[in-house]
Amino acid sequence: MVDQFIITIDGTSSTGKSTIAKRIAKKLGYIYIDSGAMYRALTYYCIKKKIISKSFFNKNVLINHLPSIKIDFIKNPNSNNLEVNLNGEFIESKIRTLEVSDLVSELAKFDDVRKYMVEIQHSLGNKKGVVMDGRDIGTVVFPNAEYKFFLEASSKLRAKRRYDELVIKNKEISFNEVFENIISRDKLDTNRSNSPLRKASDAILIDTENLNLDQVESKIMDYINFSNSNS
Ligand code: DC
């Protein structure tokens, strides 16, 4: 049987990680796990249960709820894609709002939340044949992954990409709101004490500023194919 690998793709918000990770997984016949969607799913849950808002975060209530919250990736019969599932509900379409984006990094700083997520991520990735993207996948979740990539681009360009995506989906939003959200999440994700966003020392850095998605995909696939042919 051909060896299967764990491939990690980390980086700041809106560097194209998830689109690229999805493409690489498809090319290799691997599963794609969007770890950001897991944090977003939990944030969505906490908003609905009034556990978190801009003015409060009731950590003790969340600790009591965590054992009964089930976050998984299941094939959605409507889209035919593996999608994040929260307690039996497909919620992909509800977790990309600015309300969730504004609170997710605050929730992701919390130790109990990170521990809960890493356990699920290990159970999803341990069978190998997985591409997982996020912030700490190459550093904390799978430090021994066979292939690690780290994507970056300027905050202006990332905000523009995200803004264009949201406008296409008819979301009423200003460029400045998106830009500020990106800056504030970068700050929270990079400066938190538990599993901060950083490039693993052995990750390949890809600056996507002047590259389109096809070029980023080619760089990653070339690297994987080259390493494979030399091993
Ligand atoms: O990838 P994303 O932008 O959908 O992720 C949303 C947030 O979730 C991100 O701002 C920080 C958090 N996150 C994290 O802390 N660790 C991960 N592995 C993935 C996401």
Side-chain angles (χ1 to χ4, degrees):
M1 197 181 112
V2 181
D3 280 347
Q4 294 218 308
F5 306 116
I6 295 178
I7 301 171
T8 68
I9 304 185
D10 288 307
T12 42
S13 311
S14 304
T15 35
K17 298 185 302 293
S18 57
T19 309
I20 292 296
K22 229 177 269 169
R23 285 185 178 203
I24 303 288
K26 196 168 177 201
K27 269 236 148 91
L28 297 172
Y30 284 15
I31 60 164
Y32 162 58
I33 301 295
D34 175 354
S35 71
M38 301 169 66
Y39 288 92
R40 286 175 179 275
L42 189 61
T43 306
Y44 170 77
Y45 175 94
C46 289
I47 293 170
K48 273 187 41 174
K49 298 282 179 191
K50 302 204 183 320
I51 293 172
I52 196 168
S53 79
K54 277 196 173 161
S55 53
F56 62 83
F57 178 12
N58 200 333
K59 293 181 179 162
N60 288 332
V61 175
L62 177 56
I63 289 172
N64 288 333
H65 280 231
L66 272 181
S68 59
I69 300 173
K70 187 155 169 43
I71 293 178
D72 203 351
F73 284 82
I74 301 175
K75 194 175 223 175
N76 184 335
N78 293 328
S79 67
N80 232 5
N81 290 327
L82 211 57
E83 278 183 19
V84 69
N85 187 285
L86 170 74
N87 292 333
E89 192 191 344
F90 289 108
I91 49 154
E92 178 57 51
S93 61
K94 298 174 180 163
I95 59 174
R96 311 281 162 193
T97 61
L98 200 57
E99 186 185 19
V100 170
S101 298
D102 275 342
L103 296 169
V104 61
S105 289
E106 197 51 46
L107 184 117
K109 277 174 23 187
F110 186 33
D111 292 350
D112 293 61
V113 165
R114 298 213 75 83
K115 186 165 169 277
Y116 166 86
M117 293 300 178
V118 172
E119 272 173 25
I120 303 174
Q121 288 154 3
H122 281 164
S123 71
L124 290 166
N126 275 339
K127 288 179 226 105
K128 305 253 177 167
V130 64
V131 184
M132 195 176 292
D133 78 330
R135 304 293 187 287
D136 60 340
I137 311 302
T139 50
V140 174
V141 184
F142 292 113
N144 298 321
E146 285 81 4
Y147 294 103
K148 298 182 188 179
F149 300 91
F150 191 89
L151 306 192
E152 63 176 21
S154 69
S155 40
K156 274 255 158 67
L157 181 68
R158 290 185 286 123
K160 185 176 177 325
R161 287 175 182 160
R162 185 87 191 108
Y163 174 72
D164 290 347
E165 258 173 43
L166 291 166
V167 166
I168 289 172
K169 288 181 191 156
N170 286 326
K171 299 259 185 311
E172 282 194 24
I173 201 162
S174 73
F175 175 80
N176 264 354
E177 279 177 294
V178 177
F179 184 64
E180 273 161 26
N181 173 260
I182 292 236
I183 298 285
S184 112
R185 278 202 289 146
D186 282 358
K187 207 161 151 194
L188 286 166
D189 295 344
T190 311
N191 294 319
R192 67 178 174 230
S193 55
N194 187 336
S195 317
L197 165 69
R198 63 178 175 80
K199 179 187 159 302
S201 56
D202 53 350
I204 307 294
L205 177 70
I206 302 181
D207 181 351
T208 71
E209 191 79 17
N210 296 307
L211 301 178
N212 62 32
L213 289 168
D214 288 342
Q215 291 168 317
V216 179
E217 179 185 334
S218 293
K219 265 186 183 269
I220 292 182
M221 284 311 300
D222 287 351
Y223 182 85
I224 293 173
N225 290 332
F226 180 77
S227 309
N228 259 338
S229 64
N230 283 296
S231 62

